[in-house]
Amino acid sequence: MTDADERRVNKALQGLEFPADKQRLLRYAEDRQADPRTLRALRTLPEGTYQDSAEVASAVPQRPEQESSSG
């Protein structure tokens, strides 16, 4: 994940109360109309509960756009 990706994830999750599971992260980002690249990155997250946005950012694969290139 690049610094720009990390900033986008942090922005999309700003204000979210943690801990939060993957589905809650996705719903929150979708409700905030996060850009498609950020949503794609969040969809690649492993299932689980995340304690903060830094943990989310570190869990996203290095190249999330390649993880789900069928879109």
Side-chain angles (χ1 to χ4, degrees):
M1 170 172 268
T2 66
D3 289 342
D5 293 332
E6 189 169 343
R7 284 192 297 274
R8 279 195 295 275
V9 167
N10 287 334
K11 181 179 179 183
L13 300 179
Q14 186 175 11
L16 174 65
E17 291 186 29
F18 285 91
D21 65 16
K22 177 181 175 177
Q23 295 307 312
R24 185 167 173 221
L25 295 170
L26 280 168
R27 280 193 309 270
Y28 189 82
E30 289 168 350
D31 289 348
R32 290 182 53 109
Q33 299 178 345
D35 65 90
R37 188 172 177 183
T38 301
L39 292 174
R40 204 167 32 248
L42 291 173
R43 287 184 186 110
T44 67
L45 287 169
E47 292 294 332
T49 300
Y50 297 86
Q51 300 303 312
D52 55 33
S53 60
E55 186 176 3
V56 172
S58 68
V60 172
Q62 285 297 315
R63 295 197 161 274
E65 65 278 0
Q66 292 179 355
E67 295 290 322
S68 60
S69 59
S70 61

